[in-house]
Structure formats: structure tokens, C-alpha cells
Amino acid sequence: MSVPSRVTIVEVGPRDGLQNEKLALSPQMRAELINRLAAAGVIRIEAGSFVSPTAVPQMAGTDQTLALILKQNLRLAVLVPNLRGLADALAAGVDEIAVFAAASETFSKRNINCSIEESLQRYAEVVAEARRHGVSARGYVSCVLGCPYEGAIDGARVVSVAGALLEMGCFEVSLGDTIGVGGPLQARRLVERVARVAPLDRIAVHFHDTYGQALANIFACLETGVSIVDSSIAGLGGCPFAPGAAGNVATEDVVYMLQRMDVETGVSLDRLLAAGAFACAQLDRAPASRVAQAYGARASLSKSYAATGLRSTTRGK
Ligand code: HMG
Ligand code: MG
């Protein structure tokens, strides 16, 4: 099997990452992070969400964040749960929204306070209204490989929710392993099932890394021909409605893996690492990215060699 020669990274850290960090970053700092991610060559970035600030206080002020982003050559998206969120997103001048359904009834209820069916009806209106304003819509399916409340999820449910999102006019569907429980073969088989109702270039994969399977899952899915991968700078975040879920797979780790396979992303790893370091400094935390940790260790090793006057034997970029 081969993998695509080019992969599109959808950076979800400023939304999915920051929505579950203990320290809430100001809209200004969120914009600064997005500007740094853009400087690293990331084109598609989820900039925030227009949801209830009681439900997710970290995303309050997304309109202010958007106003501070240097927008050239960027595709910015925001999450919206209803028409109210869409109205706010339109007022902020976005070009793209994302609606988020689930393959688990209990998760749907906990996350957006309605059933899957109700959410799909609501999103059909939201997507139609967005498109009427020339705004495109992405659709998420959460809990595709497992639910924190219901456990195993029937793949047929994932296929039907993904199909409904595309049918209502979403240009792409992102398959979310919200709690990071899936493994590579399971992930690949699911993508193959969804690919029976959707072209591969309209399917994205969205892995959280709770059990350390995310990179393996991505690789397994790339072998199906999928070429759109969601990831979060420094592996920030989790999900406030999925207890115990870790952050998304780290963008640095995905880009490193892809570089090692000669897969184009258009992203500079050095600049990405700098953006991740900036985010972690603001959040007063260490990066979950293994690549960031390795580069950090290498940098401090070189410093200590310099201090002792010895020469480092560490080689490479
Ligand atoms: P509800 O309580 O059913 O809504 O919540 P409501 O219409 O009864 O309104 C309740 C209050 O929220 C009202 O305020 C509304 O005005 C306000 P009050 O009168 O009490 O002061 N409200 C809003 N405020 C701002 N923006 C809005 C909005 N809508 C209502 N758009 C609702 C339903 C969906 C609003 C709520 O449950 C909510 O906001 N949930 C947010 C969920 C969320 O953001 N989850 C995280 C993202 S999902 C995720 O991370 C998974 C993903 O990454 C994929 C994966 O990993 O699988 C995407
Ligand atoms: Mg997520």
C-alpha cells in the first residue's frame, strides 16, 4: 500500500486544544498563536468556536481573536452549534464553519444537549443558511471509534451520520476519535466503510492521542488514500465533554512523520516547533508533542556541551 504524496493539515489547536486547557488564553494570545501557525505554513486553521460561554469559557471572545488574525492565504474555520452561533460567525466575517454531530446518543446529549437526530435537523438549517451567505461548512462526527459513556460504537451509525452531514451540504466530514481509544486496523476499516458513501477527498481524520495510537491510526488511514489530517499544536487539549480524553495528536509529530515519508505538507517544522513553544509558554505547560520534547532535549544537551566546552556529537537538523 502507498500513502498520498501530499497531506493537508487542519490545525485544530486554537479551538480543540485551547478549549480544554486549564488556563484560558486571551483572544489576543489566541490570535498571536494563529498568526505563528500561519507563519509556519499552515493554511487551514480552526480559530475558535461560537458556543455557549457557560459550556466552554475558553472560547469566549472568538470574534476578537478573528479580528486580530492576519488573514492572507488562510482558511479559518469556527465551530458553531446552532443558528445563534452561525449569526455570530457571520458577523465576524468567517469563510468557513464546522458543525459537530456525534455517533453516540449520550455524547450528543452531553455535548450539545440534543439527540443525534435533533442535531442533524438543526445542522441542516445551519449549513443551508451558511451556504446562502457563501460560507462553507465542515461536518464532524464524534466518538467514531468509541464513546466515554456508551463504549463501543456501531460503524453503521458513523456512516449514517457522516452521510447525513455530506447530504446536507458539508464539503467535508471529519471522523473524530474523540477519546482516542481506537487502533489502526479499526480506524482504517472505518474509513473504508465511510469511503463507500463519500469520496476520499471529502474525508478527514481527527485523532486524540489518549492511548498513544494516533500516529499509527493516521498512518493506517493514509494507506486508504485519505489525505486530510486534523492535529493540534503541541498536542494541546482534550474534550470537556469526554472525561479522560487527551489532546489531539500533536501537529509537530504528524509533520515529522510525514516528512520522514517524503509526504508534502507545506509546513515548516522549525516554525511549528516555535509556535508550539509559544503556546506552551502561555499555558505554562510542557508540550505533549514527542518531537517537541526531543528537540527540547537536544537543545539543552547542546547548551550543556557548550557550557563545558565539549563538542556535541548529536547530528541532524
Ligand atoms: P442549550 O442549553 O440546549 O441551549 O445548549 P439553549 O438554546 O437552551 O441556550 C442556553 C444558553 O446558552 C442561553 O443563554 C443561550 O443564549 C446560550 P442564557 O439565556 O442561559 O444566558 N447560547 C449561546 N451562547 C453563545 N453562543 C451560542 C449559543 N447558543 C446558546 N451559539 C448548546 C446547547 C449547543 C448551545 C451548548 O450545549 C453548547 O454551547 N455546547 C458547546 C459544546 C462544545 O463546544 N463542545 C466542544 C466541541 S465538540 C468537540 O470538541 C469534538 C470535536 O473536536 C470532534 C472530536 O474530537 O470527535 C469537534
Ligand atoms: Mg476533537
Side-chain angles (χ1 to χ4, degrees):
M1 274 190 171
S2 61
V3 298
S5 57
R6 187 174 176 91
V7 160
T8 299
I9 298 288
V10 179
E11 171 58 54
V12 296
R15 191 279 306 171
D16 205 352
L18 295 183
Q19 78 181 6
N20 202 39
E21 289 292 331
K22 278 190 214 80
L23 280 182
L25 293 195
S26 67
Q28 290 73 15
M29 283 303 132
R30 275 138 61 192
E32 178 63 32
L33 172 60
I34 291 165
N35 289 333
R36 288 173 189 239
L37 290 163
V42 186
I43 305 283
R44 291 184 64 179
I45 304 179
E46 230 169 53
S49 58
F50 288 103
V51 300
S52 155
T54 313
V56 187
Q58 293 90 334
M59 290 293 104
T62 288
D63 52 342
Q64 296 168 51
T65 299
L66 287 166
L68 293 168
I69 295 170
L70 314 163
K71 287 199 176 86
Q72 294 92 328
N73 303 324
L74 274 189
R75 255 178 87 181
L76 296 170
V78 291
L79 236 60
V80 306
N82 51 23
L83 285 170
R84 154 86 194 272
L86 176 66
D88 291 347
L90 293 174
V94 300
D95 300 320
E96 188 177 313
I97 59 153
V99 294
F100 45 112
S104 150
E105 281 297 350
T106 316
F107 185 82
S108 181
K109 195 80 192 151
R110 301 260 182 146
N111 193 29
I112 49 174
N113 198 26
C114 64
S115 69
I116 297 171
E117 192 46 46
E118 284 164 345
S119 76
L120 293 175
Q121 282 171 18
R122 191 184 289 172
Y123 290 148
E125 278 184 70
V126 171
V127 171
E129 187 62 10
R131 284 165 47 115
R132 219 170 54 77
H133 285 85
V135 167
S136 53
R138 177 182 223 222
Y140 276 103
V141 188
S142 287
C143 299
V144 298
L145 295 174
C147 167
Y149 310 107
E150 295 181 11
I153 290 292
D154 183 358
R157 173 63 72 71
V158 177
V159 173
S160 110
V161 175
L165 288 167
L166 292 169
E167 181 91 351
M168 72 177 69
C170 290
F171 69 90
E172 176 179 290
V173 68
S174 178
L175 303 176
D177 183 11
T178 317
I179 52 169
V181 285
L185 289 182
Q186 211 187 346
R188 178 192 292 165
R189 285 181 193 130
L190 182 73
V191 167
E192 285 167 351
R193 266 182 98 162
V194 175
R196 288 186 213 133
V197 299
L200 277 170
D201 62 0
R202 295 178 68 188
I203 302 174
V205 289
H206 178 108
F207 291 106
H208 286 255
D209 203 25
T210 318
Y211 291 88
Q213 302 299 299
L215 281 182
N217 291 346
I218 290 169
F219 180 69
C221 293
L222 291 178
E223 286 191 319
T224 68
V226 156
S227 63
I228 308 161
V229 175
D230 297 359
S231 60
S232 167
I233 188 71
L236 301 180
C239 177
F241 304 93
N248 299 81
V249 64
T251 309
E252 299 91 317
D253 297 2
V254 176
V255 168
Y256 181 91
M257 177 179 82
L258 293 171
Q259 280 186 353
R260 296 281 137 172
M261 298 192 291
D262 293 325
V263 175
E264 279 280 318
T265 60
V267 177
S268 150
L269 183 56
D270 285 344
R271 289 185 174 201
L272 209 50
L273 286 160
F278 169 79
C280 288
Q282 302 307 313
L283 293 163
D284 194 23
R285 58 161 284 176
S289 158
R290 297 295 296 269
V291 171
Q293 289 168 18
Y295 272 68
R298 214 167 68 177
S300 59
L301 193 65
S302 316
K303 253 195 220 149
S304 57
Y305 272 117
T308 56
L310 292 171
R311 236 159 24 95
S312 166
T313 52
T314 317
R315 304 201 318 153
K317 276 191 273 179

